[in-house]
Amino acid sequence: MSEEAMDVVMTAGQTGDPPPLRDVAEDPNEGSFRWVVSGWSHIRTSTVRSETFTIGGFNWRLLIYPRGNSQDAVSVYLAAADADTLPYGWSQFATFALTVEPERRTRETDDEWRARFITKETPHHFDGNQNDWGFSQFAPLREMDDVENGLVASDNTVTVSIKVRVKKDASAWNYNSRKETGFVGLKNQGATCYMNSLLQTLFHVPYFRKAVYHMPTTEQEEPTASIPLALQSLFYKVQVAPTAVATKDLTRSFGWDAYDSFLQHDVQELNRVLCERLEEKMKGTSVEGTIDKLFQGHTVNYINCCDVQFKSERKEAFLDLQLDVKGCDDVYASFDKYVEVEKMDGDNKYRAEGFGLQDADKGVLFTEFPPVLQLHLKRFEYDFNRDAMVKINDRYAFPETLDLDSGDRKYLTAEADHTVRNLYKLHSVLVHSGGVNGGHYYAFIRPTLSGDWFKFDDERVTKEDAKNAIDDNFGEGFGEEKKNRIPKFSNAYMLVYVRDSDKAQIVCDTGEQDIAPHLVQRLKREQEDKDRRAKDKAEAHLFVDVKLTTVAEMKSQVGSDIFFDLVDQDLITTERTPKERTFAEYKQSVFARTGVPPNRQRYWKFVNRQNNTRRPVVLPLSFLDEDTTIEMLRDQKYASSGGGGRQLRNEHVNHGPLKLLLEVVSLEESVAHAETLEDDYMDARAFSKHERALILKTVAPALRETNVNIHLKFYDPRNETLAYLGSLTVHMDSTVDSLADKIRHLAGDNLRQNEPFDAFEEIKHDPDLMVDRIDFTKPFSSGGGDAIGSGDILVIQPICSVAELLVHGGSVQFPDADQFLAHVKDRQRVVFRELKNPRDDKVTLDLTKSMSYDDVCVSLANALAPAVTDPSTLRLTMHNAYSNAPKGPPLGFRGVETLCDALAFTTRVESKKKSDVLYYEVLDMPLPELERLKSFRVGFHSGDTKRVVVVEVRVPIDANTRDVLRVLRVKLGAKVGAGKKLRFFETFQSKIYKVFPWDKTLDDVNDQYWVYRAEEVPLDELRFGDSEGVLNADGEAKDESDENGNQNQNQTQTQTQAADGDLLIRAYHFYRDEASCETPASAETAHCSHFGDPFFFKIGATETVFEVKKRVRAKLSVPDAEFRKWAFHFHALGKTTPLVDDEVLAPYFASRKDAFGQNESYLGLEHPDLNPRKTAVAMRAAAGGGYDQRAVKIYG
């Protein structure tokens, strides 16, 4: 199918074409699709589906969750369009790359545009169980909403493109990596391909694997709690397992949860963190020092003076080397750049001790290389022109044999060991496929350093030739015209070389003798369990799962594990029963296990009632069910009224377990069955003698329709405990009074002789609790829908006097069962964690959901005492159950009414369960006082505009600028000169946006967005005002005293000396993209990227640009050699005008519109940014999409 046939018609306003896709026309199993989603910001549905498109003879469609699939990120998936109609057992393997294309900017090149794409690639086996696959965190919502990114075009559209490669190999689904290659892969937990690639690389360094095996572990340890044991277990399984190995035990030993498994990190960072942690674990063992022995090399940083005998050296160790890719053709060029000598001369001379400033050579050389050399290629870097992270896809070659002794050993010091031959063989190539916002990792490995290469792509391992492993991962080709260059997002990211002379030691034999016996036995047990589960799964269609509840089970659970209903089915053992087994045969199997004869076994099915309780059904199973199969019993529907008129939920066909309650009929009732047989069954007189005998022997007495089976619990208010007593089969018209003796008999020693008792009915507990006191004289059958019937629960309790309760401890809070059950319903165990250590449980408290905010803080303060004495100094933060991290901003003082409100959630995933975690922080003042203050950060800058210190200022919410500066002066102390006035203003993206007068209130102050700055006002600028005094119409200060009333003499003198026509202007640092300044016309309107600290500057009425330059250089203390590279410009209305040294500057500003923002006029200082600080946009770009902003951490 042609590309045109697959494209959706583009909406108006879409600019540019998508980059060409490789080999689309040549491969019928590969194709692309482009989808323009209109009205993006107005979409209200949770899911948007594309039209169907066909690639590789298979119908597909795209699914988008515009506001996220239970996450704060746009989710994008590829789905099989005909999944519901495809034949049973269908499957299709495909590799696909999803891309969100931003709107193209004016004069943006193809390379610049493509660098802003968000692209992610992944392989997947599509089948009936997993018919869609993609990325739940494709692009953070904050990135989509940021207009600077242009992901949502100006016409409110979003463009999504996909490239799909379908594998037609019939064996793709049944491919056996172990059989085909001798190796197995690792399962991807969600976004752990980066970890899988690294683990495979480390595993195939046999010396490393052997060292891991020799780390001491014991049989008593659990892999999920021990990194050494988890890694040993993983490596051993990879060595011997027949299929792909799971990594969950290892990630759990890291302290990661499910959320971490869906966050893609950088493989280089994981390598460093993992090796550091293993190095710690190896200390004090027989393998201590293995990491250093394998991976550690050494460099020497030197500074060598040219004219005097002085040399400074500093030795450093490294475990990996980061090599530049940009501007380098290959690895050798990167090493050349690594050891390149820097000349220190001119204004950059070196101050040598005892010799003063000297010309010098500065550089780095290697003293030794490690046996295993890890090279991390700097494919990602910060682009200052774009204010964003970009991926360098340029072609970068790496050899199969790397000779680091080449060039007469130019990379090594003269003292390096000449007996070591630094000739390396390529061992592995870790590839990153995708862009800066995420992608997919896989590895090419040559385990023996000769022979075949193998590709390890998560679960799948394939044999590859050297071209696929090496040449195809150099990056984008060259030698072609730029406009025809083929986009290639897959390239080498990390290289591992092994020194040829160390090959025999590194590629050593690793056998059973290196593996602890307990590890072998553990794997054997796990494999047996896995085989059993596989067998069970394969035979599942032949069996029915049965959960059989007994009275003993209910007695063990009620009052400890549960308090409502009769049993927690999750705690009942599941037994597999052949689905064709009859009910009569099943009863015989129960007889064999329990010794209870079939004629004393009465069974009740558990069903769901409409009030969200699960109780036994109205009537038990009878002799009519004897020949019914277990499968048919499971699938029976119930839609009639439940006991006492409680309606049963309409049960659909159930393919879950068959849940049964076994009631053991008393011996007396069983004996009497012969006499009641004819009453029990209408056609009993037609039974033969043999049939009658068989029924009496195998069938329990039937329950007449006039009888009900009531369950009883016992609440003891003296010790506030609840227990299950058993059940009574009684007439439907019975009353509690009429059953008093039976109830007493069932209660046994719980009720003393003739002790009065009370009774309640437990009706429901979810979502609301309903427990009603029972009228002892009211028949169970009365009351219509409120009648008491089979499966209903009565709670019996003794009536105790106040004196009796005092005698028994004196601390009874709940004298009645309904009060106790209400308390149980309300109580909540909460884990508190410090906000600064959000992974560590600090305090666990048993609280109640209805507890007020104040009571929660008091309880927590008591638990933290004596560290916390004032509960009001505690500030709480809610918990995100999905990410296992703090959620949103902290709660305000009494920001919630109850504990239940603090544990509430809003998203669909989180609403399925209540969290039991809250975070706290201890403030240095009561929270109510803090909330009455405005708290924000202010940077104090010196006269050369450089920031001196950042101070957190707290002032009353109704304070003004003068109040802020009064507090600031106290905090700064001697840093503010005596008698100096302060100026207070806000900046954003290195531009000044507002100067605050003394009486400006702080309603709109927000240091999360704006940067606030204070500085001393130079003497020659005082006439233009400050933020502590008020100017009158003539420009004279009305308030010339400081906060202590002292007159400022300097201010008055300076004002009189100032000449008319002087101006106070704003000056900003900036740079422009060279490509956008090819002509004067384009340079005039080229985009300016601002950086550094903006500042105010006074210019004289007749001062020339040259004179202004001299004073600016002096103010900023810029070296002369550097300052000569600076260019001065006048900016107004979006245009940049270069300034000539001999012209007067003031006229440019005299008629200016004195405004901030887009229409402002300012003096522009154009020069390179030598000390770049990444903006918030760049930081987000570096971490967004598939890469988490959090650093890789291994907690275990």
Side-chain angles (χ1 to χ4, degrees):
M1 181 178 292
S2 67
E3 187 174 338
E4 290 76 19
M6 289 183 290
D7 283 352
V8 175
V9 177
M10 298 177 65
T11 58
Q14 186 68 31
T15 60
D17 295 319
L21 295 162
R22 293 184 293 153
D23 304 329
V24 174
E26 300 175 11
D27 188 350
N29 295 323
E30 182 175 318
S32 66
F33 173 72
R34 196 156 180 257
W35 179 26
V36 178
V37 185
S38 303
W40 179 265
S41 63
H42 304 303
I43 297 174
R44 294 294 177 262
T45 57
S46 61
T47 311
V48 182
R49 292 173 170 81
S50 76
E51 67 179 49
T52 299
F53 56 95
T54 303
I55 295 177
F58 205 82
N59 291 332
W60 308 93
R61 69 157 44 101
L62 292 176
L63 307 178
I64 292 184
Y65 290 77
R67 306 315 296 174
N69 188 8
S70 304
Q71 301 191 48
D72 294 330
V74 173
S75 306
V76 187
Y77 304 91
L78 175 65
D82 305 325
D84 295 336
T85 59
L86 289 170
Y88 177 79
W90 70 271
S91 68
Q92 179 62 65
F93 181 83
T95 299
F96 59 95
L98 286 160
T99 299
V100 171
E101 303 173 10
E103 185 174 32
R104 194 164 187 166
R105 295 169 179 163
T106 305
R107 294 188 300 277
E108 190 171 37
T109 66
D110 284 347
D111 286 346
E112 292 170 340
W113 181 41
R114 286 207 321 272
R116 296 192 295 114
F117 283 15
I118 298 179
T119 299
K120 297 188 180 183
E121 181 179 352
T122 185
H124 183 61
H125 285 288
F126 293 84
D127 62 12
N129 294 322
Q130 291 186 333
N131 55 39
D132 60 63
W133 195 254
F135 302 91
S136 59
Q137 292 182 317
F138 190 84
L141 295 179
R142 62 177 182 275
E143 296 296 323
M144 296 296 295
D145 295 338
D146 192 334
V147 294
E148 294 185 13
N149 294 330
L151 296 175
V152 180
S154 55
D155 60 354
N156 200 23
T157 62
V158 170
T159 302
V160 181
S161 62
I162 185 169
K163 177 181 176 181
V164 183
R165 182 185 292 273
V166 174
K167 286 201 174 182
K168 286 298 184 183
D169 182 6
S171 63
W173 178 248
N174 299 315
Y175 181 82
N176 187 313
S177 293
R178 176 71 76 186
K179 180 180 178 181
E180 299 295 331
T181 66
F183 303 105
V184 296
L186 297 173
K187 295 181 180 179
N188 192 327
Q189 296 185 43
T192 54
C193 56
Y194 70 101
M195 181 183 70
N196 291 347
S197 301
L198 177 64
L199 291 173
Q200 289 283 14
T201 301
L202 295 175
F203 171 84
H204 286 97
V205 178
Y207 189 94
F208 179 87
R209 189 196 326 159
K210 184 187 285 277
V212 169
Y213 285 151
H214 283 270
M215 295 176 73
T217 55
T218 65
E219 188 174 2
Q220 288 70 38
E221 293 179 272
E222 288 296 327
T224 55
S226 168
I227 293 177
L229 182 57
L231 196 55
Q232 287 176 351
S233 178
L234 178 72
F235 278 5
Y236 183 50
K237 290 175 183 177
V238 171
Q239 191 166 320
V240 302
T243 58
V245 177
T247 58
K248 285 186 177 180
D249 283 352
L250 181 64
T251 55
R252 286 171 182 165
S253 74
F254 290 170
W256 296 0
D257 52 29
Y259 183 72
D260 293 292
S261 299
F262 281 89
L263 297 176
Q264 190 176 97
H265 291 285
D266 182 75
V267 69
Q268 299 178 4
E269 186 180 7
L270 176 65
N271 185 31
R272 293 181 182 181
V273 174
L274 179 59
C275 286
E276 288 173 2
R277 186 50 58 93
L278 287 175
E279 191 175 22
E280 293 174 9
K281 300 289 185 181
M282 290 178 175
K283 287 182 179 178
T285 73
S286 61
V287 292
E288 181 176 358
T290 296
I291 301 297
D292 290 348
K293 184 175 181 179
L294 281 175
F295 305 116
Q296 188 177 89
H298 293 87
T299 61
V300 59
N301 294 270
Y302 67 87
I303 299 178
N304 191 14
C305 292
C306 300
D307 302 320
V308 298
Q309 292 295 319
F310 185 89
K311 188 174 184 178
S312 172
E313 291 185 344
R314 185 181 74 256
K315 293 183 178 180
E316 292 183 351
F318 66 86
L319 294 179
D320 55 71
L321 290 175
Q322 294 203 21
L323 300 183
D324 286 334
V325 171
K326 191 172 185 178
C328 299
D329 293 333
D330 55 21
V331 170
Y332 289 113
S334 295
F335 270 98
D336 290 344
K337 189 173 182 180
Y338 201 95
V339 300
E340 191 174 41
V341 177
E342 176 188 350
K343 294 292 184 181
M344 303 182 70
D345 54 15
D347 291 331
N348 192 34
K349 288 186 177 183
Y350 174 66
R351 185 177 297 278
E353 186 176 352
F355 296 95
L357 295 174
Q358 296 288 329
D359 291 345
D361 292 335
K362 178 182 179 182
V364 178
L365 286 172
F366 293 90
T367 59
E368 65 172 329
F369 291 107
V372 180
L373 180 63
Q374 299 182 109
L375 303 179
H376 293 163
L377 309 184
K378 295 166 69 173
R379 288 281 183 187
F380 297 95
E381 68 173 34
Y382 179 68
D383 188 309
F384 302 115
N385 291 330
R386 302 171 194 161
D387 189 24
M389 292 295 291
V390 295
K391 184 181 179 185
I392 308 301
N393 291 307
D394 297 347
R395 187 182 192 277
Y396 180 89
F398 47 90
E400 193 168 346
T401 300
L402 178 66
D403 187 357
L404 293 179
D405 286 338
S406 63
D408 196 21
R409 296 171 64 88
K410 62 182 177 181
Y411 306 127
L412 292 152
T413 62
E415 296 78 18
D417 189 349
H418 284 252
T419 64
V420 177
R421 181 72 174 95
N422 293 300
L423 187 68
Y424 287 85
K425 296 292 185 181
L426 184 61
H427 173 268
S428 53
V429 180
L430 271 70
V431 177
H432 178 266
S433 178
V436 69
N437 295 295
H440 181 59
Y441 285 95
Y442 48 90
F444 291 92
I445 301 175
R446 187 170 52 168
T448 62
L449 297 179
S450 60
D452 293 323
W453 284 89
F454 297 90
K455 180 182 179 182
F456 293 82
D457 191 349
D458 287 334
E459 294 93 338
R460 189 178 177 89
V461 184
T462 54
K463 188 181 293 186
E464 304 287 344
D465 58 31
K467 179 179 181 299
N468 291 341
I470 302 176
D471 298 23
D472 284 358
N473 293 302
F474 286 168
E476 289 185 347
F478 59 91
E480 306 171 38
E481 292 186 21
K482 193 168 185 179
K483 65 180 181 179
N484 294 324
R485 193 170 62 190
I486 299 169
K488 193 171 188 299
F489 299 105
S490 299
N491 35 57
Y493 186 50
M494 176 177 168
L495 306 174
V496 179
Y497 284 90
V498 175
R499 191 156 51 200
D500 195 51
S501 58
D502 294 305
K503 174 181 175 181
Q505 185 180 12
I506 302 301
V507 187
C508 56
D509 291 331
T510 306
E512 292 282 341
Q513 70 278 3
D514 296 303
I515 302 167
H518 72 83
L519 194 62
V520 178
Q521 291 301 316
R522 183 190 296 270
L523 180 63
K524 182 179 178 181
R525 292 193 299 268
E526 289 180 2
Q527 188 60 44
E528 290 173 350
D529 186 55
K530 183 178 180 180
D531 292 342
R532 178 187 56 79
R533 292 197 305 269
K535 181 175 180 291
D536 290 346
K537 184 176 181 181
E539 297 176 350
H541 64 288
L542 302 175
F543 293 87
V544 170
D545 288 338
V546 179
K547 286 179 173 286
L548 181 63
T549 301
T550 63
V551 172
E553 290 278 6
M554 293 189 287
K555 286 187 175 182
S556 68
Q557 288 191 28
V558 173
S560 57
D561 297 312
I562 65 168
F563 291 86
F564 303 102
D565 279 346
L566 298 172
V567 67
D568 183 350
Q569 295 289 346
D570 292 338
L571 302 178
I572 300 298
T573 303
T574 301
E575 56 176 309
R576 283 162 52 89
T577 302
K579 66 179 185 180
E580 297 301 327
R581 176 177 286 178
T582 65
F583 181 48
E585 292 169 340
Y586 175 77
K587 291 198 298 182
Q588 289 294 336
S589 68
V590 173
F591 176 37
R593 294 200 314 269
T594 65
V596 178
N599 64 347
R600 294 184 61 192
Q601 299 175 22
R602 181 182 289 153
Y603 290 89
W604 306 77
K605 279 188 68 175
F606 280 100
V607 293
N608 293 326
R609 294 185 176 180
Q610 288 185 347
N611 62 5
N612 293 325
T613 60
R614 177 172 282 275
R615 303 285 179 81
V617 76
V618 184
L619 293 172
L621 300 176
S622 69
F623 90 102
L624 298 176
D625 299 303
E626 290 289 287
D627 294 329
T628 305
T629 65
I630 293 297
E631 182 182 34
M632 293 174 65
L633 284 178
R634 180 196 64 183
D635 296 339
Q636 280 180 353
K637 300 180 183 179
Y638 290 87
S640 58
S641 293
R646 272 72 168 181
Q647 294 295 313
L648 303 185
R649 184 176 297 162
N650 218 341
E651 297 276 322
H652 298 288
V653 174
N654 169 35
H655 294 295
L658 170 62
K659 302 179 179 70
L660 296 174
L661 169 62
L662 171 60
E663 175 194 358
V664 180
V665 175
S666 67
L667 187 60
E668 294 78 10
E669 187 178 356
S670 179
V671 171
H673 190 199
E675 301 176 4
T676 63
L677 184 63
E678 295 176 354
D679 294 329
D680 292 342
Y681 308 113
M682 294 179 59
D683 53 353
R685 295 180 178 83
F687 291 159
S688 67
K689 184 176 181 181
H690 173 73
E691 290 173 330
R692 290 171 61 89
L694 184 63
I695 291 174
L696 292 174
K697 183 178 180 180
T698 61
V699 180
L703 191 71
R704 300 179 182 177
E705 293 186 1
T706 56
N707 288 350
V708 292
N709 185 258
I710 309 297
H711 295 267
L712 282 81
K713 296 179 182 179
F714 184 83
Y715 172 64
D716 191 342
R718 293 164 290 211
N719 51 29
E720 296 177 335
T721 58
L722 187 71
Y724 178 75
L725 296 177
S727 65
L728 291 175
T729 299
V730 300
H731 193 275
M732 60 188 300
D733 292 329
S734 300
T735 65
V736 175
D737 261 344
S738 66
L739 300 175
D741 291 341
K742 290 184 177 182
I743 291 174
R744 289 182 182 280
H745 177 75
L746 194 61
D749 295 337
N750 292 300
L751 279 176
R752 295 192 294 269
Q753 187 175 6
N754 298 324
E755 183 177 24
F757 66 87
D758 208 345
F760 298 81
E761 183 189 3
E762 177 192 320
I763 300 173
K764 66 172 186 173
H765 64 279
D766 184 27
D768 301 315
L769 178 68
M770 184 178 293
V771 179
D772 292 345
R773 182 175 265 106
I774 296 176
D775 184 343
F776 275 43
T777 63
K778 184 178 179 180
F780 290 162
S781 59
S782 63
D786 294 329
I788 296 175
S790 289
D792 288 341
I793 301 172
L794 304 188
V795 183
I796 307 301
Q797 71 161 77
I799 299 176
C800 301
S801 65
V802 174
E804 184 179 10
L805 293 176
L806 289 174
V807 169
H808 289 83
S811 60
V812 172
Q813 301 181 59
F814 313 107
D816 291 329
D818 56 346
Q819 296 173 333
F820 172 75
L821 291 174
H823 164 70
V824 171
K825 168 73 174 173
D826 191 39
R827 68 186 177 189
Q828 173 73 54
R829 176 162 292 182
V830 181
V831 175
F832 289 91
R833 300 172 181 169
E834 284 187 281
L835 190 62
K836 61 182 180 182
N837 297 309
R839 291 273 182 167
D840 300 330
D841 296 348
K842 186 73 173 181
V843 177
T844 300
L845 299 177
D846 286 323
L847 309 174
T848 61
K849 298 184 186 73
S850 59
M851 182 177 281
S852 69
Y853 171 91
D854 289 350
D855 290 339
V856 171
C857 291
V858 169
S859 299
L860 179 58
N862 291 337
L864 296 174
V868 178
T869 57
D870 183 358
S872 66
T873 60
L874 294 171
R875 181 161 62 182
L876 304 178
T877 300
M878 296 170 69
H879 175 68
N880 186 319
Y882 179 80
S883 63
N884 191 28
K887 179 179 182 178
L891 294 173
F893 180 69
R894 296 176 181 166
V896 293
E897 292 186 7
T898 65
L899 174 63
C900 186
D901 297 330
L903 302 179
F905 296 100
T906 56
T907 67
R908 288 173 296 170
V909 171
E910 294 170 337
S911 65
K912 293 179 181 178
K913 62 177 181 178
K914 289 285 185 180
S915 166
D916 59 355
V917 177
L918 286 175
Y919 302 86
Y920 72 90
E921 51 188 321
V922 183
L923 306 173
D924 57 2
M925 66 170 59
L927 180 56
E929 293 183 22
L930 180 64
E931 290 182 342
R932 288 195 291 270
L933 301 176
K934 188 78 173 180
S935 179
F936 57 96
R937 291 160 300 191
V938 178
F940 179 66
H941 290 240
S942 59
D944 62 358
T945 76
K946 292 184 174 61
R947 187 170 62 197
V948 177
V949 67
V950 176
V951 177
E952 183 169 351
V953 175
R954 292 175 179 171
V955 293
I957 55 177
D958 58 351
N960 58 27
T961 303
R962 184 186 291 179
D963 298 324
V964 172
L965 295 181
R966 184 179 293 115
V967 173
L968 188 63
R969 281 182 178 274
V970 174
K971 285 183 172 286
L972 293 174
K975 291 184 176 69
V976 180
K980 294 289 187 180
K981 284 290 185 179
L982 296 178
R983 181 160 53 210
F984 182 58
F985 54 98
E986 69 182 12
T987 69
F988 179 68
Q989 294 184 344
S990 298
K991 298 175 71 175
I992 298 170
Y993 274 78
K994 182 189 297 182
V995 180
F996 288 79
W998 74 273
D999 57 349
K1000 174 71 172 68
T1001 58
L1002 309 176
D1003 302 335
D1004 55 353
V1005 167
N1006 179 8
D1007 63 354
Q1008 300 299 313
Y1009 188 75
W1010 303 98
V1011 177
Y1012 294 95
R1013 176 169 150 187
E1015 63 184 15
E1016 294 177 356
V1017 182
L1019 296 179
D1020 61 347
E1021 295 178 13
L1022 276 173
R1023 67 158 294 183
F1024 301 102
D1026 56 69
S1027 296
E1028 295 178 294
V1030 185
L1031 296 177
N1032 60 23
D1034 298 326
E1036 297 176 351
K1038 293 171 61 178
D1039 181 356
E1040 298 178 359
S1041 60
D1042 60 24
E1043 52 271 7
N1044 298 317
N1046 300 317
Q1047 290 293 318
N1048 187 341
Q1049 300 299 327
N1050 291 332
Q1051 182 180 12
T1052 304
Q1053 294 172 7
T1054 303
Q1055 288 165 3
T1056 58
Q1057 294 168 0
D1060 291 338
D1062 292 354
L1063 298 172
L1064 187 68
I1065 64 173
R1066 295 181 287 278
Y1068 302 156
H1069 304 271
F1070 77 98
Y1071 61 83
R1072 290 176 291 185
D1073 186 1
E1074 293 181 4
S1076 63
C1077 300
E1078 296 176 351
T1079 65
S1082 63
E1084 184 181 64
T1085 58
H1087 173 71
C1088 298
S1089 299
H1090 298 87
F1091 64 91
D1093 295 309
F1095 59 95
F1096 289 99
F1097 193 75
K1098 183 193 79 69
I1099 59 174
T1102 60
E1103 196 171 12
T1104 66
V1105 172
F1106 179 76
E1107 293 169 330
V1108 169
K1109 284 184 176 181
K1110 288 174 59 179
R1111 290 200 300 118
V1112 168
R1113 177 178 176 271
K1115 178 180 179 69
L1116 302 182
S1117 303
V1118 182
D1120 183 61
E1122 180 185 336
F1123 192 73
R1124 284 197 293 268
K1125 304 174 185 176
W1126 289 28
F1128 279 50
H1129 301 267
F1130 172 70
H1131 287 248
L1133 301 176
K1135 292 185 178 182
T1136 303
T1137 304
L1139 297 172
V1140 181
D1141 282 356
D1142 58 359
E1143 61 183 330
V1144 177
L1145 182 59
Y1148 280 92
F1149 293 91
S1151 60
R1152 78 192 191 283
K1153 180 180 180 181
D1154 192 8
F1156 293 96
Q1158 185 176 1
N1159 296 321
E1160 71 176 319
S1161 303
Y1162 63 88
L1163 177 65
L1165 316 179
E1166 184 176 23
H1167 61 95
D1169 183 5
L1170 300 181
N1171 298 292
R1173 290 198 303 244
K1174 292 182 184 178
T1175 65
V1177 173
M1179 294 297 289
R1180 290 198 302 270
Y1187 296 100
D1188 181 36
Q1189 295 185 37
R1190 297 183 297 177
V1192 178
K1193 291 185 179 180
I1194 295 179
Y1195 303 91

